[in-house]
C-alpha cells in the first residue's frame, strides 16, 4: 500500500527538495564524510552545512556519529524506498493511461489521405 500523506514522506521530499542536500546525499553515497567535508564544495559555513544535515537527519537519510570533535555523516538510504514506492505508483498510473490511449488509437481508422488540389 502506497502511503500518500505521511509526515515521514513529507520530510523525505522536503529534504530532497534542495539541490545542496541532494548533492550531499550523492557525496555520502561514496563514503562517510565529516560536516566540514560536506560543506567544502558549497563554500558555506559549518553552521549552514549543519542545518542542511539536520534536515537530512530528520528525514532519516543521514546518520551522524560524533568522534571527538568531528561529526561524521553517512548515508542511510532505507527511507528512499518509500519515495521509490510512491513514484512507482504514479509510474504505473501513467503507463496504464498511455497504454489505454495507445489501444484507442490502434482501433481508430487512419484519417483519409488527401491529395494536393483535391477539394476538401
Amino acid at each position: 500500500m502506497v502511503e500518500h500523506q505521511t509526515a515521514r514522506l513529507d520530510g523525505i521530499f522536503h529534504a530532497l527538495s534542495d539541490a545542496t542536500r541532494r548533492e550531499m546525499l550523492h557525496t555520502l553515497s561514496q563514503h562517510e564524510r565529516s560536516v566540514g567535508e560536506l560543506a567544502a564544495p558549497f563554500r558555506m559555513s559549518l553552521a549552514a552545512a549543519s542545518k542542511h544535515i539536520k534536515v537530512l537527519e530528520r528525514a532519516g537519510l543521514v546518520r551522524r556519529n560524533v568522534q571527538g570533535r568531528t561529526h561524521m555523516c553517512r548515508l542511510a538510504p532505507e527511507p528512499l524506498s518509500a519515495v521509490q514506492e510512491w513514484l512507482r505508483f504514479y509510474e504505473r498510473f501513467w503507463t496504464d493511461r498511455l497504454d489505454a490511449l495507445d489501444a484507442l488509437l490502434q482501433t481508430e481508422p487512419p484519417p483519409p489521405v488527401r491529395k494536393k488540389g483535391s477539394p476538401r
Side-chain angles (χ1 to χ4, degrees):
M1 175 91 185
V2 177
E3 296 179 33
H4 296 278
Q5 299 293 328
T6 65
R8 180 177 181 226
L9 197 55
D10 290 348
I12 296 168
F13 275 114
H14 172 68
L16 296 175
S17 70
D18 183 272
T20 300
R21 292 192 288 267
R22 289 192 305 271
E23 185 62 30
M24 287 178 165
L25 286 178
H26 182 74
T27 300
L28 290 172
S29 71
Q30 297 160 3
H31 60 83
E32 69 178 25
R33 307 277 173 134
S34 69
V35 173
E37 290 171 327
L38 287 172
F42 304 104
R43 297 182 183 176
M44 66 174 56
S45 68
L46 293 179
S50 187
K51 285 182 182 178
H52 282 293
I53 293 167
K54 283 180 184 172
V55 171
L56 294 168
E57 285 180 306
R58 280 195 297 271
L61 296 168
V62 167
R63 292 205 177 102
R64 189 188 312 224
N65 182 24
V66 180
Q67 300 171 355
R69 296 179 63 175
T70 304
H71 291 218
M72 297 301 293
C73 300
R74 66 179 174 86
L75 177 65
E78 297 83 9
L80 292 174
S81 64
V83 172
Q84 185 179 21
E85 184 181 353
W86 188 86
L87 290 172
R88 197 173 295 136
F89 173 83
Y90 289 100
E91 178 185 19
R92 282 191 301 264
F93 171 82
W94 283 113
T95 298
D96 291 348
R97 294 288 174 130
L98 291 172
D99 286 348
L101 177 61
D102 186 51
L104 179 66
L105 291 173
Q106 297 297 325
T107 60
E108 296 268 330
V113 178
R114 296 189 178 164
K115 294 182 180 176
K116 265 187 169 177
S118 65
R120 293 183 178 207

